[in-house]
């Protein structure tokens, strides 16, 4: 990196270092203005030292040590980043200078080995500091690379062959520190990538650093299961090993316990890692106590590990360890324990009824909020997450002003961290961590009478990646000068291409390229905004929800669950009304004022939602082994949805023809339209349910639907795996569909439906019908998709596929299911097709019956193409028709799809069969949803 230095006579590096140190030392006790000035001047001096070619490279470890020691004094993040980058460049140059001296007269190989080791250690330290400050994936990959080089005992390194072989540092305390630092980097990367392999690497690195005898003692069997608060004192631990526990061993063992708990979360294993981690923490503390090493710092570290263990035993032991400690770290650990107990409380309302001792816990939470900034080196991501958790606790206590202040601060931190990420996976990771907090932020706003702002917060946190993709592909540059528009177009194309390239193989190079491309895109956006017609370009548009309600002409409903009960935010445009007593006042021009209504849904708690969703998904997963259990689970879920959500919501909406639903979190996996109402009937009998990822996505889809019209060119993929379909149905569904497009149909049957052929045809057709088998990967939703003749078409495969389609019909199993790690991103096929350029998508929430699906689809196309109903209305008609029709009516409507069994020859048997309603059960018809316009 080129460093722009002030012009002045050169000073010796030592003098500049001493002056910088003195300025930074003075930073603490002086007033804030002079402190900032001192820190900035000191940073400039350090930049001069590391950027000056005349600085002796032997001084570089000293320079790096000062940068590390004083890094947090530099006030501006950009200045800190520049200082670290300059120091890293100088250290890498120092390694090359050291290599050039090897073999020269008077060079001491041992001295150069030690010098190289010091430089590599400082490089790794600086990389870690940069990761903790930025949270960026490119910084993390570089830190892992530097960490590998620093921890390697022998062999080549990634800083190039010119640096020479690394010395063998086995048994060296510095090498142990390097390996533990590398293990922590792998833990961080395992979190970011949801990688159990990285967690295993961390476990292996840490295990190798513990003496065998000590590891055996720490791993020895100890009582498991729930423990009383005095468990630490009563747990049996084997005799101390021959080699006594050292302070370094205790730290390594606790870090290993942390790695084991993380691997448990990622593997969803049977608890072996979790039990081993708990035993290791308890044994470490006991041995530390026997050896006189049980310091307050060790107790705090152990409590933080146990606070993350998702069971009561861990939180009880952690509470005991924290007894008597009143440091900021201890208060933060107590806040984490309190948050865990709140989430797992069986009755949130009862848990909120505080007793006197619990009031002290609330005080700890407030103190943690006040003190967390005093924690040295607290990573920004942890800071943002802790702040958001504390906001959740303030919501629990109905302290609305505190909750709003906390959530707003956390929101800004999450946004800053999000912008620092380059790779899509890292952005998904951050959005997943943030998931749930916008719901609580919006709840606090709505409870204080700020319902419209609540909707804006929900929209800001909803389908962020989809919104960015839509902007990259369909940004409106009307009125923007050609130079600015062209620059934005080139930058957007570059980012799209890199996103597609990095989707399946994220690495340091792709992250660095993406970061550079995103910086260019940001500069292009600012150029567009510098023109009068582009001032609001790509900015979050206030009133997006009102525009969606106005465009649809129906209420837009955001639905969310909280620990204390759910809520609906009902937005209406000027032409929409809700309820029998809608009181939207007239404006001066004779129109109506938009309104957002807040409706509480007390039964819609996060605990109830999770319980029903897990039972629903588990029963569906095991449906082939226990079909009756799956049907019971579906009916139980529909009954609960009717009483907890649909019943009160429909009462609040009143008589409306249609509503546009934005269900948040796991609600998006459930068939809200099929909810069984307490008074009888189902929700879709009262209104049409149309779904959308969010208001912005719906508005983009609505504009595209208006531009494409009904569509007249059909692409039909026809049963690439026909062996799994009844023989008489092979090709029958697509034949019924194709009859509505007599002029322009491309059918790709069976083996002809290759991935290459389908992708090539997508852009040339405005109605796309995929009759094939779908699959979902919850942990990697970008790899969910449908099966074609030679392989899958996945969400990731749609990233760079330009469409202009009025409707995509996914007549496939589970094609509407999305990933659970970041549920508000709704990463799945519907969002993927909307992102690629479809106005609307019809898809399924679970595995569907082939014959029932063919009948429903045939009736849908007849209602849409022949009878002129909008797609959402046509789908509702088809669902109710399939549910209510008799065998005789089904056969009369579509004889090619439904006929009497051959063994029914007796007229009486045929008559009885004809009167039956075979698809009345909801599993046959309610899986289908319409998403978009």
């Amino acid at each position: 990196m080129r460093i722009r230095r002030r012009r002045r006579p050169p000073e010796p590096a030592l003098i500049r270092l001493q002056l910088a140190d003195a300025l930074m030392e003075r930073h603490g006790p002086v007033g804030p203005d002079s402190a900032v000035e001192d820190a900035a001047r000191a940073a400039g001096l350090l930049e001069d030292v590391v950027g000056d070619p005349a600085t002796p490279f032997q001084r570089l470890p000293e320079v790096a040590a000062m940068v590390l020691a004083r890094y947090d004094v530099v006030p501006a993040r950009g200045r800190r980043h520049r200082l670290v980058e300059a120091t890293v460049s100088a250290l890498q140059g120092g390694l090359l200078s050291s290599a050039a001296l090897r073999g020269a007269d008077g060079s001491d190989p041992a001295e150069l080995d030690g010098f190289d080791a010091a430089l590599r250690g400082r490089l790794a330290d600086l990389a870690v500091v940069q990761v903790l400050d930025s949270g960026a994936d490119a910084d993390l990959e570089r830190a892992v690379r530097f960490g590998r080089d620093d921890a390697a005992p022998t062999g080549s390194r990634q800083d190039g062959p010119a640096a020479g072989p690394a010395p063998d540092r086995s048994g060296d305390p510095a090498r142990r520190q390097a390996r533990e630092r590398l293990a922590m980097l792998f833990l961080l990367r395992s979190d970011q990538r949801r990688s159990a392999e990285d967690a295993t690497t961390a476990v292996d690195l840490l295990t190798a650093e513990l003496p065998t005898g000590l590891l055996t003692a720490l791993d020895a069997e100890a009582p498991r299961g729930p423990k009383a608060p005095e468990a630490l004192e009563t747990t049996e631990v084997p005799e101390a090993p021959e080699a006594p526990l050292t302070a370094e061993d205790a730290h390594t063992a606790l870090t290993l316990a942390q790695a084991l708990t993380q691997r448990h979360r990622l593997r969803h294993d049977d608890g072996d890692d979790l039990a081993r981690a708990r035993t290791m923490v308890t044994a470490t503390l006991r041995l530390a106590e026997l050896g006189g090493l049980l310091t307050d710092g060790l107790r705090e570290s152990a409590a933080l590990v146990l606070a993350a263990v998702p069971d009561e035993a861990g939180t009880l032991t952690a509470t005991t360890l924290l007894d008597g400690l009143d440091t900021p770290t201890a208060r933060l650990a107590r806040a984490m324990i309190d948050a865990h107990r709140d989430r797992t409380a069986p009755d949130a309302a009862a848990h909120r009824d505080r007793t006197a001792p619990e009031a002290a816990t609330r005080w700890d939470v407030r103190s943690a909020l006040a003190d967390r900034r005093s924690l040295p080196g607290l990573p920004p991501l942890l800071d943002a997450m802790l702040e958001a958790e504390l906001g959740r606790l303030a919501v629990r206590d109905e302290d609305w002003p505190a909750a709003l202040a906390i959530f707003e601060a956390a929101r800004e931190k999450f946004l800053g961290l999000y912008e620092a990420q380059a790779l899509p996976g890292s952005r998904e990771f951050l959005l997943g961590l943030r998931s749930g907090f916008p719901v609580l932020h919006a709840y606090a706003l709505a409870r204080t009478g700020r319902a419209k702002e609540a909707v804006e917060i929900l929209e800001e946190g909803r389908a962020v990646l989809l919104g960015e993709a839509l902007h990259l592909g369909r940004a409106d540059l009307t009125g923007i000068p050609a130079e600015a528009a062209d620059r934005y177009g080139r930058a957007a194309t570059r980012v799209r291409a890199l996103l597609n390239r990095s989707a399946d193989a994220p690495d340091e190079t792709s992250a660095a390229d993406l970061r550079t491309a995103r910086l260019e895109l940001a500069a292009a956006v600012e150029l567009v905004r510098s023109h009068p017609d582009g001032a609001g370009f790509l900015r979050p548009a206030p009133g997006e929800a009102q525009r969606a309600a106005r465009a649809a002409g129906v209420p837009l409903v955001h639905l969310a669950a909280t620990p204390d009960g759910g809520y609906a935010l009902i937005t209406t445009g000027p032409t929409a009304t809700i309820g029998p007593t809608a009181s939207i006042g007239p404006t001066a021009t004779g129109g109506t004022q938009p309104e957002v209504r807040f409706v509480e849904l007390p039964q819609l708690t996060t605990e109830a939602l999770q319980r029903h969703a897990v039972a629903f998904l588990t029963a569906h997963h095991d449906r082939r082994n226990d079909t009756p259990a799956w049907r019971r689970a579906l009916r139980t879920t529909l009954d609960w949805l009717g009483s907890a959500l649909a019943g009160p919501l429909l009462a609040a909406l009143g008589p409306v023809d249609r509503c546009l639903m934005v269900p948040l979190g796991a609600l998006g996996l459930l068939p809200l339209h099929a909810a069984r109402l307490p008074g009888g009937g189902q929700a879709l009998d009262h209104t049409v349910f149309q779904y959308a990822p969010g208001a912005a996505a719906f508005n983009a889809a609505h504009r595209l639907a208006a531009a494409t019209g009904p569509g007249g060119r059909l692409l039909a993929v026809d049963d690439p795996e026909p062996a799994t379909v009844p023989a008489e149905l092979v090709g029958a569904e697509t034949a019924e569909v194709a009859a509505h497009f007599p002029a322009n149909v491309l059918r790709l049957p069976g083996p002809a439906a290759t991935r290459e052929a389908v992708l090539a045809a997508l852009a040339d057709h405005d109605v796309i019908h995929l009759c094939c088998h779908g699959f979902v990967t919850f942990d990697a939703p970008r790899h969910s998709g449908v099966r074609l003749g030679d392989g899958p078409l996945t969400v990731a495969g749609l990233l760079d596929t330009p469409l202009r389609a009025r409707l995509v019909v996914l007549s496939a199993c589970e094609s509407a299911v999305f990933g659970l790690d970041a549920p508000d991103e709704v990463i799945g096929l519907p969002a993927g097709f909307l992102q690629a350029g479809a106005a609307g998508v019809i898809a399924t929430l679970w595995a569907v019956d082939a014959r029932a699906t063919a009948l429903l689809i045939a009736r849908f196309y007849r209602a849409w193409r022949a009878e002129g109903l909008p797609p959402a209305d046509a789908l509702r008609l088809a669902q109710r028709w399939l549910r209510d029709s008799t065998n005789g009516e089904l056969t009369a409507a579509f004889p090619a799809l439904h006929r009497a069994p051959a063994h029914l020859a007796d007229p009486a048997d045929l008559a009885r069969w004809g009167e039956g309603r075979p698809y009345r059960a909801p599993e046959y018809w309610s899986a289908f949803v319409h998403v978009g316009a």
Side-chain angles (χ1 to χ4, degrees), residues 24 31 70 129 137 263 299 450 559 606 621 653 723 745 869 886-887 910:
M24 288 185 167
R70 304 294 190 183
V129 161
D137 38 36
R263 187 169 69 176
R299 289 167 61 194
R450 298 160 63 182
L559 288 168
T606 48
H621 180 73
L653 286 169
V745 178
L869 291 180
T886 65
N887 279 313
L910 282 172

Side-chain angles (χ1 to χ4, degrees), residues 476-492 524 527-528 531 537:
D476 184 5
L477 293 162
T478 305
I480 303 300
E483 178 186 358
D486 289 346
R487 182 175 176 183
Y488 173 82
R490 289 194 302 272
L527 178 61
V528 172
H531 297 280
F537 183 63

Side-chain angles (χ1 to χ4, degrees), residues 600-613:
E600 294 198 66
L601 304 168
Q603 296 182 54
L604 187 60
T605 65
T606 48
E607 186 275 331
L609 173 59
Q610 182 179 18
R611 175 162 36 86
H612 284 281

